[in-house]
Amino acid sequence: MYLKIILFNILFFTLVGLQAQENKKSFKQSLSSSLVVETDVSIEFKSGGLQKTEWLLKPEFSYRLSKNSRFVFKGQMYTELNDHLEAAVPKQETVSKFSKRLFIGDRANLEVREFYFYTNFRKKLRLTIGKQQIVWGETDGLKLLDVVNPQNFREFILDDFEDSRIPLWSVKAEFDLKNIGVQFVWVPDNTYHITQDFEAPYFTKSLFQSPPEGMTIRFDKTIKPKRFIADSDVGLKLSTFTKGWDLSLNYLYYYDDLPVFYSHLELSETNAPLVAIRPKFERQHLIGGTFNTVLGSSTFRGEIAYILDQNFSSIDSNAPLGVETSNNFKSALGIDYIKGENVISFQVFSDIITEHISAYNRDTFETNTSLQLSREFMNDNLKAEVLWVHNANHGDGFVRPQLSYWMNTNTQLFLGSSIFYGNGNQLFGQFSDRSRISLGMRWGI
Amino acid sequence: MKNYLIMGLLAIGLLSPTSSKAQTLPTGKSIADKTYAKDEGISVRRKLTMELKDKRGKIRIRETTSIRKYFGEEKRMAIYYLTPKSVKGTAFLTFDYPDASLDDDQWLYMPALRKTRRISAANRGDYFLGTDLTYEEIKLETRISRDDYTYKTIGTERIDGQQCYVLEGTPINDKIAKELGYSKVKLWVDASIWMLRKADSWDVAGNHLKTTAIKEIKKVQGIWTYHLIAVKNHKTAHETLFRISDIDYQTSLNDDAFTKEALVNGL
């Protein structure tokens, strides 16, 4: 393994060296920097208490080695004054040692969000090497193909994806074959979703089966991939623009970012029955694609993802280790209608389990919809928007109205609310008590 | 004999000085064609700073870098936001086709989502990113449309000391008027370098809507280039100043700088 890392470093620094020779600018001319400060205070409607008091400092540096290459560093200092969303110092068991956050006490942490070298090598091959975010797909709000990077569910899906997506150490190579763009991704970073503990406000209890009443549970250590090459994810995206259509084909061979919870009954040392749960990350294949085209004032877009051998927790008592496997077909169709300062965006998501299995807490065919309305006023100074996501099977969902206002060139204010509704056992309904009002500010220099 | 005939015609008023002037003024169509024929270079890279001032005097500044390249007659342009820092990386790409019956293709990259969103170009009368120019006007720069208006050349006037032809344009039909948001335009086109120097426009209800002044026209690398556009919206009292600097027509721009993938990687 160390030999591979050494070889990788030699290749990397040779590339950097070749590019650096072209740089004729001074250090000051080559360096650009910025700082964005964000704060967000949210109060829960039900308890009246603070759900979060968050401050984020996001410094960014870009050093240009030549016209075609640069280093980019994006750091983050995150502070949650209440220590509520991720209480104390989390164990970060699902995060690789290269991607862990550095906690300073219980309330703050430092993180290298991104640190990569980008080069357009001989204007033929575009390479991005380092910690980065790789984003696929066309949908908003819910993810189908946007699975290359895992996510921190500290705030379920309310956090901006830019903040909740976990950047990974990876290589992205892009080149063109005639009018087809080829993107190859290699992700050796064994980091997966960060889900929250049982006591956290956004613990997703709907994903976990409760054991029979009175039964003891024993959680065994999660079996997590560790090998640098053998356990890395690889992906390929082909994209083109032809006759007014944007098209892409995607393939990813990856570890599902959520572990499979294998369970079985056994006897404890006192001969009492207990449920032993052994979480393990499993590999799967994803094949998918996207399209979009414009007709008049509307953009039509779509996305499909076909996942082979997805594992589901089962309610069938005969299911081996409480898990059943099926292929999983996901699709989304959307339309964006723009007229003046008004935008209407509607999406329909479907999720189908193709085999006859008894998956826990979901139907074989699930449908979600989303509707987003927005309007800008006063030369884009003020924006009013609302997002409504609804699950048609279970009748749960959430609504997020928001106002944003540019106070001056660098300062933007936000006032919004997130309102969950529906059955407490369902994905969105489980957070009904977490509905909140938020006030925030973003400032950058 | 010929001179006597002319004197005779003048005497009876058949050859008045006014009609003589009308004959010497070029048609609107020919002026529009000349604005298109003006040398713009194959490619250009420049810094575009937009100052947006509302009626209370509050100013917001957006700094961008824009690149543009001709692919035959097809024009491709990309604009990358540099400031405000919180929206840095936002990028806009447009393919402008020579066939007027084809809508442009446009994409907007939003770094907060890390996604490139395809956007309709059918609403070319919509305002460009909160400024007082429309997408159509941004696309035309200092040219005047060849297809959307019926022009009448009404005379000549001096703007910034330069002789300009004055044209009145009315949209060729109600549909176009609605698309563009104008019922009438008055244009001042430089008679020697064939660049638009001033424009007035009236909304579809006939109210005076906007005045656009194109200033500081200087040669850069042998190409006549504007450095400042001032737009005032009389209806909202909002103003936008577009300042163009660091202009380089000799920049080498790869074809793949004008793809939606390139928007993600940035400049």
Side-chain angles (χ1 to χ4, degrees):
Chain A
M1 178 177 151
Y2 288 106
L3 181 67
K4 283 164 189 162
I5 294 173
I6 291 165
L7 285 172
F8 177 82
N9 281 329
I10 290 170
L11 175 70
F12 176 74
F13 286 107
T14 306
L15 266 173
V16 171
L18 281 172
Q19 297 299 318
Q21 285 169 10
E22 294 176 24
N23 194 11
K24 293 186 181 75
K25 290 183 176 176
S26 69
F27 179 80
K28 203 176 168 187
Q29 285 172 317
S30 301
L31 184 72
S32 64
S33 60
S34 65
L35 175 69
V36 174
V37 180
E38 294 175 11
T39 180
D40 189 334
V41 177
S42 296
I43 296 167
E44 277 181 14
F45 289 123
K46 188 165 182 187
S47 66
L50 280 171
Q51 189 180 97
K52 67 166 180 175
T53 310
E54 192 179 72
W55 282 87
L56 287 96
L57 268 66
K58 298 177 171 178
E60 180 179 335
F61 300 93
S62 176
Y63 181 76
R64 197 167 276 280
L65 287 164
S66 71
K67 194 181 164 196
N68 296 313
S69 63
R70 61 183 178 271
F71 273 107
V72 174
F73 172 85
K74 296 180 186 182
Q76 178 174 285
M77 181 174 178
Y78 176 88
T79 310
E80 212 259 284
L81 298 175
N82 301 74
D83 191 27
H84 193 216
L85 296 175
E86 277 185 295
V89 178
K91 290 176 189 159
Q92 304 189 75
E93 282 174 338
T94 59
V95 182
S96 75
K97 60 182 171 187
F98 305 107
S99 290
K100 285 191 197 301
R101 291 167 288 168
L102 174 66
F103 279 79
I104 306 164
D106 293 346
R107 289 173 167 75
N109 65 71
L110 301 174
E111 186 181 5
V112 176
R113 288 292 293 169
E114 292 179 65
F115 181 40
Y116 60 82
F117 169 66
Y118 169 82
T119 186
N120 190 344
F121 190 64
R122 298 192 189 282
K123 297 190 176 177
K124 298 277 184 215
L125 175 67
R126 300 177 293 281
L127 277 173
T128 311
I129 304 168
K131 198 175 189 198
Q132 59 184 305
Q133 297 189 30
I134 297 169
V135 181
W136 287 355
E138 290 274 342
T139 56
D140 289 332
L142 302 175
K143 297 178 173 187
L144 272 68
L145 291 175
D146 184 6
V147 292
V148 180
N149 289 75
Q151 193 174 335
N152 185 335
F153 287 95
R154 183 173 52 210
E155 291 181 68
F156 182 48
I157 56 170
L158 298 184
D159 211 356
D160 291 342
F161 282 151
E162 172 68 7
D163 293 329
S164 65
R165 200 181 287 115
I166 304 169
L168 297 179
W169 293 95
S170 48
V171 175
K172 181 173 78 172
E174 296 167 293
F175 56 93
D176 296 325
L177 284 177
K178 293 194 172 170
N179 65 338
I180 295 174
V182 181
Q183 184 190 86
F184 172 77
V185 298
W186 175 50
V187 189
D189 189 336
N190 306 126
T191 296
Y192 306 99
H193 285 331
I194 298 174
T195 51
Q196 299 308 308
D197 291 338
F198 297 101
E199 300 81 20
Y202 288 101
F203 167 62
T204 43
K205 66 182 181 196
S206 66
L207 297 176
F208 305 99
Q209 279 197 74
S210 303
E213 207 164 315
M215 186 85 78
T216 315
I217 307 176
R218 189 190 73 219
F219 264 100
D220 293 336
K221 190 171 167 50
T222 302
I223 301 172
K224 187 174 159 287
K226 287 177 184 162
R227 296 169 301 174
F228 183 69
I229 301 282
D231 288 329
S232 58
D233 298 347
V234 287
L236 180 71
K237 182 175 105 171
L238 304 176
S239 57
T240 192
F241 177 64
T242 178
K243 295 178 181 168
W245 288 78
D246 268 315
L247 302 167
S248 83
L249 272 175
N250 305 62
Y251 167 76
L252 188 65
Y253 180 51
Y254 68 121
Y255 277 95
D256 191 351
D257 285 315
L258 276 177
V260 183
F261 291 89
Y262 293 107
S263 62
H264 66 276
L265 275 174
E266 61 180 47
L267 292 175
S268 69
E269 287 171 354
T270 57
N271 276 342
L274 66 80
V275 178
I277 296 175
R278 183 171 53 89
K280 186 184 177 198
F281 288 93
E282 297 283 11
R283 271 221 185 267
Q284 54 196 25
H285 297 269
L286 178 150
I287 303 162
T290 64
F291 74 85
N292 72 50
T293 193
V294 166
L295 281 177
S297 299
S298 302
T299 303
F300 294 87
R301 54 193 165 86
E303 187 170 329
I304 56 169
Y306 192 76
I307 302 159
L308 285 81
D309 299 330
Q310 172 95 57
N311 294 286
F312 294 89
S313 285
S314 175
I315 53 170
D316 182 349
S317 55
N318 295 319
L321 298 174
V323 171
E324 288 186 285
T325 303
S326 168
N327 294 343
N328 187 195
F329 178 69
K330 298 178 179 183
S331 66
L333 283 173
I335 178 171
D336 306 319
Y337 175 78
I338 302 175
K339 196 74 184 169
E341 305 303 315
N342 304 293
V343 179
I344 302 171
S345 180
F346 179 70
Q347 300 176 111
V348 183
F349 299 81
S350 71
D351 185 327
I352 305 165
I353 295 174
T354 61
E355 314 291 327
H356 292 289
I357 63 167
S358 307
Y360 169 69
N361 208 16
R362 60 156 292 162
D363 296 340
T364 303
F365 190 116
E366 294 252 345
T367 303
N368 286 290
T369 57
S370 80
L371 176 67
Q372 185 161 26
L373 309 173
S374 71
R375 180 181 168 87
E376 284 175 312
F377 302 88
M378 302 154 63
N379 291 77
D380 296 2
N381 254 305
L382 178 69
K383 185 177 183 182
E385 60 191 317
V386 60
L387 169 68
W388 175 31
V389 174
H390 180 76
N391 182 289
N393 294 63
H394 311 293
D396 62 330
F398 66 94
V399 183
R400 297 190 77 186
Q402 180 171 275
L403 286 173
S404 52
Y405 176 70
W406 283 101
M407 268 182 74
N408 54 44
T409 295
N410 297 316
T411 314
Q412 200 175 13
L413 299 179
F414 302 91
L415 175 65
S417 183
S418 306
I419 302 152
F420 291 95
Y421 62 88
N423 186 314
N425 291 323
Q426 297 304 323
L427 189 64
F428 304 117
Q430 66 187 318
F431 299 120
S432 298
D433 292 348
R434 302 278 88 86
S435 296
R436 69 191 192 186
I437 186 166
S438 305
L439 178 65
M441 182 205 73
R442 186 179 293 138
W443 174 81
I445 49 165
Chain B
M1 178 66 195
K2 201 175 176 181
N3 288 341
Y4 288 119
L5 182 61
I6 290 171
M7 284 174 70
L9 287 169
L10 276 172
I12 60 173
L14 288 177
L15 207 61
S16 68
T18 310
S19 60
S20 167
K21 188 178 171 187
Q23 280 178 359
T24 54
L25 290 174
T27 64
K29 176 78 174 67
S30 69
I31 293 172
D33 286 341
K34 281 183 170 156
T35 64
Y36 273 78
K38 179 197 160 286
D39 182 16
E40 291 186 337
I42 298 293
S43 57
V44 67
R45 183 188 180 110
R46 55 198 165 180
K47 187 175 172 189
L48 169 65
T49 304
M50 297 175 268
E51 283 180 32
L52 289 75
K53 185 176 168 190
D54 70 14
K55 62 181 174 188
R56 287 169 300 171
K58 184 176 94 177
I59 294 175
R60 287 183 299 143
I61 296 171
R62 270 87 181 95
E63 290 173 307
T64 68
T65 293
S66 90
I67 53 173
R68 188 261 293 148
K69 187 173 183 178
Y70 277 96
F71 293 71
E73 279 191 76
E74 182 184 319
K75 185 167 86 166
R76 296 184 182 180
M77 182 172 73
I79 297 176
Y80 293 85
Y81 269 64
L82 305 173
T83 66
K85 295 293 184 186
S86 56
V87 297
K88 185 184 161 194
T90 301
F92 175 76
L93 172 68
T94 181
F95 289 2
D96 173 9
Y97 301 111
D99 182 349
S101 66
L102 285 177
D103 279 339
D104 297 349
D105 283 307
Q106 293 180 160
W107 295 264
L108 182 67
Y109 174 66
M110 293 165 287
L113 299 176
R114 302 250 175 176
K115 283 190 178 171
T116 306
R117 182 56 30 92
R118 183 89 176 271
I119 50 175
S120 164
N123 306 311
R124 52 201 179 118
D126 289 351
Y127 285 102
F128 176 76
L129 304 175
T131 69
D132 292 291
L133 286 184
T134 64
Y135 281 89
E136 181 69 10
E137 288 160 337
I138 289 285
K139 187 176 91 177
L140 284 170
E141 298 190 58
T142 59
R143 298 176 301 184
I144 64 170
S145 172
R146 287 186 291 203
D147 307 297
D148 293 326
Y149 296 95
T150 305
Y151 294 111
K152 193 169 135 193
T153 313
I154 57 171
T156 59
E157 275 179 32
R158 283 194 173 272
I159 300 285
D160 295 334
Q162 304 300 315
Q163 187 75 3
C164 293
Y165 290 115
V166 187
L167 291 86
E168 270 185 6
T170 48
I172 55 173
N173 57 43
D174 289 346
K175 183 173 170 279
I176 296 287
K178 234 174 159 181
E179 267 181 38
L180 299 170
Y182 303 138
S183 61
K184 188 177 93 171
V185 290
K186 190 172 176 185
L187 308 167
W188 285 259
V189 177
D190 192 300
S192 57
I193 57 173
W194 305 106
M195 289 174 77
L196 184 67
R197 280 192 178 268
K198 187 182 167 190
D200 267 316
S201 47
W202 285 258
D203 66 16
V204 282
N207 303 308
H208 190 198
L209 181 64
K210 274 189 336 195
T211 300
T212 304
I214 296 161
K215 294 173 177 292
E216 296 181 26
I217 297 176
K218 295 177 273 192
K219 267 192 171 175
V220 175
Q221 292 161 348
I223 295 171
W224 286 107
T225 306
Y226 59 92
H227 291 72
L228 180 69
I229 301 178
V231 194
K232 171 140 191 169
N233 186 316
H234 303 294
K235 215 165 156 180
T236 62
H238 192 272
E239 294 173 49
T240 309
L241 279 184
F242 295 84
R243 294 183 195 281
I244 299 96
S245 58
D246 303 339
I247 302 156
D248 184 5
Y249 289 102
Q250 285 158 6
T251 185
S252 104
L253 295 172
N254 244 22
D255 290 358
D256 65 8
F258 299 89
T259 61
K260 70 181 238 195
E261 283 72 30
L263 297 184
V264 179
N265 294 324
L267 276 177

